[in-house]
Amino acid sequence: MYELGTRFGIERRTVSNILKRHDVPMRRRGLSPEQVDDAIHLYNLGWSLARVGEHLGVDHTTVLTKLRERGIPTRDTHGRPRS
């Protein structure tokens, strides 16, 4: 979906909606345990969730979910720890 979005200049969500509308089967990609380790490392270096997600080819919410599952404290949009 990310590649199609880039190729056609549209959002990933738009690609997803078009594919769903045409009943195209989709697979969930997610992150492997090694990729989660990489995401944690990059996030701890100060990368944003969006940047980590882009690097790994997933949405930032996927990264956030995996960090939370591992108990990693996250930052707000200003870089401050979330309460």
Side-chain angles (χ1 to χ4, degrees):
M1 282 189 267
Y2 287 93
E3 290 176 28
L4 289 171
T6 300
R7 182 175 179 183
F8 295 105
I10 58 177
E11 290 286 324
R12 174 199 58 81
R13 283 168 273 172
T14 303
V15 173
S16 176
N17 290 336
I18 292 168
L19 295 175
K20 285 178 187 173
R21 205 171 340 162
H22 293 278
D23 296 320
V24 175
M26 291 181 273
R27 59 186 166 94
R28 292 206 164 257
R29 197 165 145 213
L31 294 172
S32 70
E34 294 80 18
Q35 287 175 310
V36 175
D37 292 340
D38 191 28
I40 292 168
H41 175 72
L42 296 172
Y43 188 74
N44 285 335
L45 287 176
W47 286 32
S48 68
L49 292 172
R51 185 174 175 199
V52 173
E54 185 176 318
H55 176 74
L56 296 172
V58 296
D59 193 70
H60 72 278
T61 57
T62 301
V63 177
L64 178 60
T65 299
K66 293 302 180 182
L67 293 180
R68 286 180 174 163
E69 285 175 3
R70 294 270 189 102
I72 305 300
T74 56
R75 303 179 299 268
D76 67 14
T77 56
H78 301 288
R80 297 179 299 235
R82 291 186 190 271
S83 46

